[in-house]
Amino acid sequence: VVGHPKYQESKRIAIFLSMPDEIQTEEIIEDIFKQGKECFIPRYKPRSNHMDMLKLSSAEDISSLTLTSWNILQPSDDDSAREEALAGGGLDLIFMPGLGFDKKGNRLGRGKGYYDTYLERCMKHPSGKPYTIALAFREQICESVPVAENDIQVDEILYEDC
């Protein structure tokens, strides 16, 4: 991941904080800061499909986050001091989670449409749609995954031995 050309050229990167059943992103986050890049993480709004990408100040900043009912660490709702990526310079790259992927770039998420809705907002930002890379285990690559009309394909899927 850290040797990928899109990662190397990106300055503003959004990445998910992994759940136990996802590719672990901790080392990537540490590298983002080591390389002097800006790191943004999701904050999901419950009972909606709205998500923002908020800036982390350091890898250690993760320990200050609150645990949601989904067991995901994220900035609290009353944390208004953090920059939201689209309120600033947008994003160059988004690393995306998922439950399953096909080789056409279709992604099966957890069903709320957070990333698809966020990418639609990115397309309206002056910096445009960021490059999207899904991080997957080989076992998550399928012949096909169910697709809805508002689903946005990922640009690339990285998995071991790909």
Side-chain angles (χ1 to χ4, degrees):
V1 171
V2 298
H4 193 287
K6 288 290 185 186
Y7 175 80
Q8 289 292 320
E9 68 189 40
S10 294
K11 301 277 185 253
R12 293 168 60 90
I13 300 171
I15 189 163
F16 58 97
L17 299 179
S18 17
M19 295 172 71
D21 62 347
E22 294 173 331
I23 295 288
Q24 297 302 293
T25 58
E26 193 172 295
E27 288 180 22
I28 301 168
I29 293 168
E30 287 171 7
D31 191 76
I32 290 170
F33 286 104
K34 195 171 97 187
Q35 301 289 332
K37 301 171 185 290
E38 293 177 90
C39 184
F40 296 82
I41 58 164
R43 178 172 66 191
Y44 307 92
K45 287 220 166 92
R47 294 174 296 284
S48 78
N49 64 355
H50 186 86
M51 174 177 77
D52 290 316
M53 291 291 184
L54 300 180
K55 189 173 183 178
L56 279 181
S57 58
S58 67
E60 296 73 35
D61 190 13
I62 294 170
S63 64
S64 74
L65 303 175
T66 54
L67 205 56
T68 68
S69 58
W70 300 315
N71 229 16
I72 299 172
L73 286 170
Q74 69 176 28
S76 63
D77 289 339
D78 60 1
D79 186 342
S80 59
R82 295 178 189 273
E83 176 192 342
E84 202 294 315
L86 297 180
L91 291 165
D92 302 316
L93 173 64
I94 299 179
F95 286 109
M96 299 174 64
L99 298 176
F101 308 90
D102 67 28
K103 292 191 175 170
K104 294 185 206 103
N106 294 310
R107 173 185 158 273
L108 179 66
R110 296 187 185 264
K112 298 280 188 189
Y114 286 109
Y115 278 88
D116 298 308
T117 305
Y118 192 78
L119 285 169
E120 283 176 23
R121 287 172 50 212
C122 288
M123 289 181 215
K124 296 174 183 143
H125 189 274
S127 66
K129 180 187 169 289
Y131 194 78
T132 54
I133 298 177
L135 301 177
F137 295 108
R138 184 180 324 134
E139 295 79 8
Q140 292 176 286
I141 309 301
C142 311
E143 272 307 307
S144 67
V145 295
V147 181
E149 67 180 55
N150 62 329
D151 287 349
I152 298 173
Q153 290 180 321
V154 296
D155 294 311
E156 192 172 342
I157 302 163
L158 287 185
Y159 58 98
E160 56 203 343
D161 304 329
C162 72

